[in-house]
Amino acid sequence: MSGFAFASPAILFALIALPAIWWLLRLTPPRPRTEVFPPLRILATVLKREETPAQSPWWLTLLRILLAAAVILAIANPVINPRNNPLASGGPLVMIVDNSWANAEDWERRVQTADLMISDAADAEMPVSLVFTAEASHDAVPASATVARERLAAARPKPLVPDRLRAARAVTEALNDTAPGTLAFLSDGIATPADGEMLRALAALSPRDMQLIEGDGQKSLALTGATNNAAAMSVAATRLKTEGAQNFVVNALDQQGRSLATGTLDFAAGANTATATIDAPFELRNDFARLAVDGIATAGATHLLDDGFKRRRIALLSGDSGNDFQPLLLPLYYISRALEPYADLIQPRGGDLAASLREILTSNPSAIVMADVGRLPEESYAPLQRWLNRGGTLIRFAGPRLAAAPADDPLVPVRLRQGERALGGALSWAEPQPLAPFPNFGPFAGMASPADITVRRQVLAEPTPDLNERTWASLADGTPLVTTREIEAGRIVLFHVSADATWSNLPISGNFVEMLRRLVQLSRAGGAAEPQAGAAGAAALPPYRLLNADGILSTEVGSARPLAVKVGINPVASLDNPPGLYGSEEGFSAVNLFAPNATLAPFDASAATFPIVRQGLAGGEAWSLRPALFAAAFFMLLLDTLIVLFMNGGFARLPHAGRAAAMLAVIFGTFALTPPRDLHAQNLQQQTASGAEIQAQAQPPAQPQPGQSAPPAASQQTSDPNAPIEHAKPGDETILERLDTTHLAYVITGEGDVDRISEQGLDGLSQFMTYRTTLEPGAPVGVDITKDELSFYPIIYWPVSATAPMPSAAAISRIDAYMRSGGTVLFDTRDQFSALDGGGTSPNGERLQQILANIDIPPLEPTPSDHVLARSFYLLNNFPGRYSGSPLWVEARQDARNQGAGLSSSGDGVTPILITGNDFAGAWAVDAQGNSVLPTVPPDDMQREHAFRSGVNIMMYMLTGNYKADQVHVPALLERLGQ
C-alpha cells in the first residue's frame, strides 16, 4: 500500500486538449476606451472602424491552462498510497486474523482492512473463510461476504496470546483440500512458539497468493513482572519495536483506579526489556492493586497484583537474646537473612516476653516467628489466641526451651514429647537423618527433593491418627520435620528443629529460604483481621474479576473456568483461565497475561516455504488529492477574475476607500474558501473549537473601559479591608482569633464544679505567664472533644472525673489523632494517686485507665531530673499542684536510655501525653480578684508558687520543645567541640 495512482485514469486523455485551450485563451477582445460624448463622432467611429482581436498576456494564459489541468486531474482522482493488492482468483478468500491483546489499540484499522478485502471478495463473487486466532471455537467454512462481514463486526480483541496453529488447523479442516485463492494473515506482529508449525500448515493449503498484513507495533509493550523489594517496587517490561530509545510511565493504581505512585521505564536503543522502580512506603505499596502503562490501554500493559504480591510484616521473637559478637549463633540470624528480601521484619527491643508480645500484636503482623520460645507468660496466651483466630500465622522453631516446655502447650500444632531426640554421636545408635521428598500437598509441594540436608536433633510428636495429614515435611525415617494446625482463620506451623545450625544444616541451605518464603505467602498480607479466602488447600478459585483487552477489570466472567491453584507455581493465562482475579472479595489470586521474564519478539516469516507479500494496515495511509486540486482550481479561477477586472478597469470607478475594501474582501474570501491542507476537516474543526474554548477559559476578565460600568464580578469587589469577606462562613472569626492568639484549653467534662475550676485554673496560669514571661495567652477555652476542632491548641488539660460520663470511642479516637498530630494532653486525676506506678488506684485513676485503654500511648516514665521539662524555664525538681505526692508521667525516651546517655529527652519533639494526680488546675485557680480559690495540701504558698512554675515549664516545653532540648545539650556540645 504505497505509491501513487489515479482512480479514473481515462480522464487524463483530456490533457491532450490543453494546446487548443492555449490557442483559444490567447484571443482577448480589446480593452474599452473612454471617448468624448459627441454623438456624431461616436457614430462615425462605429461606422468606419473595424475591430480586430488582441492577444492576452502569456502569464494569464498560463494561469488558465493550469486551472484547466487542475480540473482534469481532480476529475481523474489521484490517490497517494492506493490499495494495490487485488485478490487472486481460483479459490476462496481465507483470512486469519489475530484478535489478541496487542491489537486493542488499532483494532478499528484492522477491521477496516479486513472489510476492504471482504468487499473485494464480494465484487469478485468469492466466498470468504474468516477465523480469529484468540477465539475458543472456529468456524472456518467459507461463506458469503455478507456473513463474513457480520462476523467481522461482532469480533473483539481478546486479552490472550493468539493460538495460530489451532486456527490454521481449523482452516485446513474446513477447506477440505480446496486451495484458497488469497490467504491473508492479519498478524499482531508478535512471535509465538508455534509460528513455524503454523506456517507449514498454511503452506500445505497451496494458496495462490499469501499476504502478511501487520501494524506498526509501536504500542506492543507488556509488563512481565513486579517485585516488591524492601525499599521500592521493581517492574519488568518488554517491547516489540527496539528502534531508538523510548520512555514510558508506569502507574501504580489502587482498587478504585486512583494513581498512588509512578515509575519510568527507560528502554535503551536496541533493547527490548527495561525495569522501572516505583519508590513508595511499605504501607502504600501494599495498597497497589494493579500496574498500568500510561497511554497504552492493553491487557499486556496491565499487571494485576494480589495478596501474594504484598509484602508481609513479620515479627521475630526469640527465647534467647544471644550474643551480638557472635551473630551466627543468634537464634534469629538465619531467619532474618532468609526473610529480608520478601518481608518487612519487626523485632522488639526489650527482653520482657510479655511486653514484646504486646508490642508485636499492636503492629498487627501477618506472621510471628518464634525461635526456641518455651512457655509464654500466662497473660500472653489470650491475645495471641485472638490474633490467631483473626487470621494470624504463627511459625515456631524448636530448641532446648521448647523441648523442656510442658506438653500441654496450646500453641503447638501437635502434642510433643518432652525432651529431644539426638541422632548420631557417641551415645546414639541412630545416624543423622536426611529429609524425605516433600509430599504432594501443602505449601512445599513441587519443591525439588532436598539433598545434603541432615538433621542431628529434633523434638518428636506423639503419634495421632491425623499426624500424617498435619505433616508438611518429614525425615527419611518418617518422623515429622514440619507440622501444622489450623485455628479458625489462623494457622500454627512448627519446625521440629532449631532455627540455627546446631540441630541441623537446614537453616544454611537454599531450601530453608524457599520454605520460609512459601510459609510467609500463606499469611494474610494486611495482618490478622479476617479469614483469608483461597488458602493453600483450596482446590479451585472461581473467576471474580476478569481483564478485557483494553486492560480494564470487568465483572463479566463469560465462560472462564475456576482456577486450580498450585502453591509455588504462577498460574498462566489461557482460554479457560483468561487474565483476571480469581477468588472472592475477601481474597483472590491474580492471573496475568505473561509469565515472569517473558519477552516480545517480531513475527518471523522465514519458515514459510512460499513467497509472502507484506502489507500495511488500511486507513490512514491512502488519501485522495481531489479536494486539494479542486480547491487550487477554484483559487486560480478567483485570481483570474480579479486580474480580468483589474485589466478592464473594473476597480477604476470605485473610490479609493471602497477599492481597498473590495480588494481586502476578495482576498480574505479567497483564503476563507480555500480548504486547509489537512483533509480531515471534522477533526480540525473539533481541535479549533477546543482551542477556542481553552483560550476563552484562560483569558482574564475584561477590565472596564472609561465610561463603562464594571462587570458584575468586579463590581462586587471592594478595597475596604474592614469590609466582610464575601465567602466568609459562620465561625471563621473565631477560628482566626484562635490562630492569632495562643489559648490554653480544657476538656468540658459536663460537671459544673470541675469545669469551673479548670477554667479558673487555666486563667490563673495565663495571668502568671503574662506577668513572668513574654507569652501573653488569651482567655482559656473549653472544648467539646466530640465535635470541636482541637488542632488550635498546643495543650489540652483534661481533669479526669469518675462521675462524669465516659467519653465515646469516637471522642477518644479524636484525642488519639490530636496527640498523633503533635498535640499534648495533660491528664490530671486530681487525687494525689498515680494510676501507673502499680500502687493503689482511685476511682479517677480507674477512669483514666479506661480512657487510655483505647488510646495507643507510648511507654511512660516519671519525669527524670534531667528532662527538658525540669529546665525549660525554671529549674525544678518536682511538679506539684494542690498535692505533691504524684509524679508527672511523660513519654519514656527509649533511645537515650538504650544508648546509655545521661539525657532522657531526645529533643525530637514533645511528649504527646502528661499524666499527674496533683490537681494542677486547683492550685492555679484564681477568682475575679486574683485570690486563690482552693488551698494547697498541705497549705504552703511556696508549693503554689512551684505549681505555677510547673505550669510555665510545661507551656514553654510545649511551645519550644526542640529549642529547649538543644539548650539542654549545650554542655555536651561544647565539650565535643573542645575536643
Side-chain angles (χ1 to χ4, degrees), residues 843-922:
N844 290 351
E846 293 177 355
R847 173 56 58 88
L848 175 62
Q849 292 178 355
Q850 295 174 5
I851 295 174
L852 297 183
N854 298 320
I855 299 179
D856 184 16
I857 63 173
L860 303 177
E861 65 179 355
T863 305
S865 59
D866 51 5
H867 196 279
V868 179
L869 268 173
R871 61 189 69 191
S872 60
F873 195 85
Y874 294 103
L875 296 178
L876 300 177
N877 294 324
N878 58 2
F879 301 88
R882 281 191 67 209
Y883 312 105
S884 59
S886 172
L888 177 63
W889 293 82
V890 296
E891 178 184 1
R893 300 300 182 183
Q894 299 292 337
D895 294 341
R897 181 180 302 174
N898 293 340
Q899 295 172 4
L903 300 173
S904 60
S905 180
S906 65
D908 290 336
V910 298
T911 176
I913 183 172
L914 297 170
I915 299 177
T916 185
N918 287 336
D919 192 8
F920 280 163

Side-chain angles (χ1 to χ4, degrees), residues 539-599:
L541 299 177
Y544 172 55
R545 297 283 191 275
L546 295 185
L547 201 67
N548 62 18
D550 296 325
I552 301 174
L553 284 173
S554 172
T555 57
E556 298 181 3
V557 297
S559 59
R561 297 182 179 180
L563 175 69
V565 178
K566 297 181 179 180
V567 180
I569 300 177
N570 291 324
V572 180
S574 63
L575 286 171
D576 293 334
N577 300 121
L581 304 177
Y582 290 79
S584 63
E585 185 177 0
E586 288 77 16
F588 45 77
S589 178
V591 176
N592 286 293
L593 185 60
F594 290 96
N597 302 321
T599 57

Side-chain angles (χ1 to χ4, degrees), residues 39-411:
L40 295 178
R41 185 174 179 182
I42 293 175
L43 293 175
T45 304
V46 171
L47 294 175
K48 294 180 179 178
R49 181 167 298 181
E50 182 180 354
E51 295 181 354
T52 57
Q55 293 182 346
S56 62
W58 66 269
W59 48 269
L60 181 59
T61 303
L62 179 61
L63 177 64
R64 294 171 176 173
I65 289 294
L66 293 177
L67 190 153
V71 172
I72 295 173
L73 292 176
I75 297 175
N77 191 14
V79 179
I80 302 295
N81 294 332
R83 291 182 64 247
N84 53 2
N85 51 348
L87 302 180
S89 59
L93 168 64
V94 177
M95 299 181 64
I96 301 177
V97 181
D98 277 345
N99 61 331
S100 63
W101 65 272
N103 298 332
E105 286 284 342
D106 58 356
W107 179 248
E108 295 301 327
R109 289 188 59 193
R110 294 178 180 274
V111 171
Q112 181 181 356
T113 303
D115 186 70
L116 290 174
M117 300 188 72
I118 294 175
S119 299
D120 294 340
D123 295 339
E125 298 181 355
M126 185 182 300
V128 179
S129 173
L130 178 63
V131 292
F132 299 95
T133 58
E135 296 292 342
S137 60
H138 297 296
D139 182 9
V141 177
S144 65
T146 302
V147 175
R149 189 174 282 110
E150 292 175 354
R151 293 183 55 203
L152 177 65
R156 292 292 182 271
K158 303 292 183 180
L160 296 169
V161 175
D163 190 351
R164 296 164 182 162
L165 179 59
R166 194 163 63 90
R169 290 173 177 172
V171 170
T172 302
E173 182 179 356
L175 292 182
N176 194 18
D177 297 332
T178 301
T182 296
L183 196 157
F185 177 30
L186 274 73
S187 171
D188 59 11
I190 303 175
T192 63
D195 285 345
E197 192 173 353
M198 182 269 296
L199 289 174
R200 288 189 291 272
L202 295 181
L205 297 175
S206 302
R208 292 172 175 80
D209 179 29
M210 172 73 176
Q211 297 181 13
L212 176 61
I213 304 175
E214 296 176 321
D216 55 14
Q218 292 298 326
K219 292 192 175 183
S220 295
L221 181 142
L223 301 179
T224 58
T227 304
N228 202 356
N229 299 315
M233 181 207 308
S234 61
V235 183
T238 179
R239 62 172 178 170
L240 180 62
K241 298 295 183 179
T242 60
E243 299 86 0
Q246 284 182 300
N247 297 325
F248 298 94
V249 176
V250 179
N251 295 320
L253 310 175
D254 63 5
Q255 292 185 354
Q256 285 73 36
R258 297 170 296 192
S259 178
L260 301 180
T262 61
T264 303
L265 288 168
D266 295 320
F267 285 95
N272 69 336
T273 59
T275 302
T277 300
I278 300 179
D279 294 318
F282 159 74
E283 293 79 6
L284 188 62
R285 279 181 278 138
N286 275 359
D287 288 337
F288 293 172
R290 59 189 173 97
L291 307 173
V293 179
D294 191 18
I296 302 180
T298 64
T302 302
H303 190 83
L304 301 177
L305 306 174
D306 55 15
D307 286 346
F309 160 81
K310 299 178 181 178
R311 288 182 67 85
R312 272 65 169 170
R313 180 181 282 111
I314 308 299
L316 305 182
L317 191 63
S318 172
D320 183 10
S321 60
N323 190 342
D324 292 341
F325 296 100
Q326 295 178 324
L328 295 180
L329 300 181
L330 291 175
L332 298 175
Y333 178 81
Y334 297 104
I335 296 176
S336 61
R337 293 302 183 274
L339 292 178
E340 275 178 349
Y342 310 107
D344 286 289
L345 307 180
I346 55 176
Q347 192 169 351
R349 300 176 180 175
D352 186 354
L353 200 58
S356 298
L357 276 174
R358 287 196 300 270
E359 178 185 348
I360 286 174
L361 294 178
T362 302
S363 63
N364 192 24
S366 299
I368 299 177
V369 180
M370 293 184 180
D372 192 20
V373 175
R375 189 71 176 177
L376 295 173
E378 190 65 31
E379 65 271 17
S380 300
Y381 282 96
L384 194 56
Q385 190 76 34
R386 290 193 297 269
W387 174 79
L388 282 169
N389 295 340
R390 299 197 315 270
T393 299
L394 177 62
I395 304 174
R396 302 189 66 176
F397 283 84
R401 288 179 174 80
L402 183 63
D408 59 347
D409 189 345
L411 295 180

